[in-house]
Amino acid sequence: MSTASILPTAARGKRFPSIRRLAAWLAAQANGPTEAPIAGLWLVVGFAAVHAVLWTLILVILKTGQDVHMDVAEAFAWGQKFLLGYGKHPPLSGWVAGVWFMFFPITDWATYALAMATLACGLVICWLLALRVVDHRRAFFVVVMLALYPIFNFKGFKYNPDLLQLVTLPLMVLAYLDAFEKRSIKSGIWLGLAGALALMTKYWAVTMIGAIGIAALIHPERFKFLRSPAPWVAIVVLAIAMLPHLMWLKQVDFVPFTYAGDTYSLTDRAMIDDLALGYVGHNLALLAAPVILGAIALVWRPWRLTPFPALARGANSGVNTFQALNVWIIQAVVAIGPPLGALAFHVYIKTDWGIPLFFLVPVALIAIPAVRVRKIALANLTATWLVITLVVLAASPKIVAYELSEKRTAGATYRARSELARGLTEAWHTRFYSRWPVVAAYMDTGQPMTFYSADHPAPLTPNEPWSSGLTSLEEAKRSGFIGICEPGHWKFEECEAWMKAHAANAERMVMTTRRFFLGMPGPATAWNIYIVPPAK
């Protein structure tokens, strides 16, 4: 007889926690015990923090040899001045970046940490939102599903207004669900402020505002809501909160709408159809991961061949169908509306526009009353998240090595813009013994100069009618600037023509940059440089 067989049952249980016990512990923490209701919040905050830290580490490794994305560098540049708008977009993403880099070093890793911190905040807000619709167990399941959504990990490396909307749009939906339930003046104030925050992040928030409006109009309980002060107070508060920005829009002659019209208006019917179809396919593909993994977690019975039944008939006390209907309507509208709008109004719809529009999918699915979420399902999905995250972390160095060996000379990804920024900063200091004030270049070149140069010169984009407001052509000529044109760039001829018109007295030179990583050379890139001295 083996030793194990004669041990008391209790002793055997204490040696190795069973999967059942781990699942029960996780469910208890997610539910928040009656004597400690804050436990569920701390579980979600802790989970979001761990997710952010692990994926920051992963992104730092995966992006080895790459400079930060131009959108990230642009947000940093905006954050150098706290304006009421930045030409193309409202100001909130720039303000957040500005505050972030008051406390963090201006380095690549800090930008990935900013992106992950943004998404971590989004996870916590989505949990609070889910609690308006489902019970604590289902709400935590929703959070883990979101953590498996590629937008919240692989594709979340790029901090920009789209990513920040994963904080402000969930906050707005949360405020709406609160106002729809309470129908009070206070809840209306919060809804109006949340709407203003969303609009101050990106005007694209009107899509979600419209979806909320449609939900409020077609919900069976609409008259109770519409007869209350909440929606009308929200509208007034939103208008008042947006007033400073609206005044700025008037001052700049509504230039963000000029930008949108010039950039995204199309006439090619076939291209419009292809872009809309690509948008739908792209977002469906991204949603496949959390939906499929969530479904497996619901039915998977560890160490048994027979799966759990995922669906069951009858009432479900874990779902608030009153609020679930709001979520279903809102998600349906923001899923269907944008591609149909693009087709109807001949708009170039970018796949990135879907980044903030599908965070309600997990709660919309888990709120289906027939879906059953057992305790073991939380353990299944959380373990899936942890295994995938740790595997990716362990595999990251090999992924980078493969990428560098196969793709380091392809495209613009590995061009050494950071080295160019440092070289140009030294060139300016050598000539003028002062801070480099302005860089004139197209966005994919100029914004990284602002980020990587120790002087953080203000960016000026040639021929751009929607100036960010960080500087002007007149100011650049007065202070002096460095112009950069990249041979082979699709706007190279336009860039050269602009330099000929505005940098006629410039010192011209060609600077070549190349970076080595893991012992392998990156692409050698030549840059046409125009150094315009300060006006005397």
Side-chain angles (χ1 to χ4, degrees), residues 197-533:
L197 275 178
L199 283 173
M200 289 289 278
T201 304
K202 193 173 183 179
Y203 303 126
W204 184 239
V206 297
T207 305
M208 188 65 72
I209 292 174
I212 287 174
I214 291 173
L217 290 173
I218 67 177
H219 194 284
E221 300 289 330
R222 58 188 176 275
F223 291 116
K224 291 182 180 179
F225 180 62
L226 296 176
R227 288 170 181 166
S228 75
W232 315 111
V233 168
I235 293 171
V236 172
V237 170
L238 172 62
I240 294 173
M242 290 298 296
L243 192 58
H245 183 68
L246 293 174
M247 293 173 64
W248 173 84
L249 278 174
K250 185 178 180 181
Q251 289 174 359
V252 298
D253 199 22
F254 299 92
V255 71
F257 302 108
T258 303
Y259 158 74
D262 290 350
T263 306
Y264 298 113
S265 180
L266 289 177
T267 57
D268 188 329
R269 183 78 252 178
M271 181 180 292
I272 294 169
D273 294 345
D274 289 344
L275 288 169
L277 185 61
Y279 171 89
V280 173
H282 179 82
N283 286 290
L284 287 177
L286 292 176
L287 287 168
V291 172
I292 292 173
L293 292 173
I296 293 172
L298 289 174
V299 302
W300 184 38
R301 183 180 294 183
W303 318 120
R304 297 190 185 183
L305 297 177
T306 306
F308 284 118
L311 304 175
R313 295 181 180 179
N316 192 333
S317 60
V319 177
N320 179 353
T321 54
F322 171 81
Q323 293 285 33
L325 184 56
N326 271 317
V327 169
W328 294 330
I329 296 170
I330 292 169
Q331 185 57 82
V333 172
V334 296
I336 298 171
L340 291 181
L343 293 174
F345 298 104
H346 295 194
V347 173
Y348 166 31
I349 185 168
K350 294 175 63 177
T351 54
D352 278 1
W353 292 358
I355 286 174
L357 295 186
F358 295 93
F359 64 88
L360 288 174
V361 168
V363 69
L365 294 176
I366 296 303
I368 296 173
V371 174
R372 293 297 183 263
V373 181
R374 295 170 177 82
K375 293 179 181 179
I376 193 66
L378 291 184
N380 289 343
L381 195 63
T382 306
T384 301
W385 164 83
L386 182 60
V387 169
I388 290 175
T389 301
L390 294 179
V391 167
V392 174
L393 179 60
S396 293
K398 293 185 178 180
I399 295 173
V400 169
Y402 172 78
E403 288 282 326
L404 293 178
S405 65
E406 297 294 325
K407 302 179 182 180
R408 67 182 185 278
T409 59
T413 301
Y414 293 100
R415 289 177 188 168
R417 295 179 176 86
S418 53
E419 278 72 10
L420 177 64
R422 288 185 277 270
L424 292 178
T425 303
E426 182 179 352
W428 184 272
H429 289 179
T430 300
R431 287 162 174 78
F432 307 114
Y433 306 100
S434 63
R435 173 185 170 275
W436 174 16
V438 177
V439 55
Y442 287 109
M443 180 179 170
D444 51 352
T445 300
Q447 302 293 354
M449 299 303 106
T450 302
F451 183 83
Y452 285 108
S453 169
D455 292 339
H456 309 303
L460 177 68
T461 305
N463 303 315
E464 187 176 65
W466 42 85
S467 170
S468 65
L470 299 175
T471 188
S472 64
L473 179 58
E474 292 73 22
E475 184 178 343
K477 289 182 176 180
R478 184 171 57 254
S479 63
F481 65 91
I482 297 180
I484 310 170
C485 294
E486 180 186 354
H489 191 278
W490 67 287
K491 286 188 174 181
F492 175 68
E493 293 184 1
E494 293 180 31
C495 183
E496 289 283 297
W498 189 91
M499 296 299 171
K500 184 177 180 180
H502 301 290
N505 64 332
E507 174 190 349
R508 297 192 57 175
M509 58 186 293
V510 175
M511 185 174 287
T512 301
T513 61
R514 175 175 240 168
R515 185 166 42 201
F516 288 79
F517 18 72
L518 302 182
M520 294 177 285
T525 308
W527 314 86
N528 288 359
I529 307 300
Y530 299 79
I531 302 179
V532 178

Side-chain angles (χ1 to χ4, degrees), residues 131-145:
L131 286 179
R132 298 281 177 173
V133 184
V134 295
D135 60 22
H136 282 73
R137 183 188 301 176
R138 289 169 180 257
F140 186 70
F141 195 89
V142 165
V143 169
V144 185
M145 281 185 71

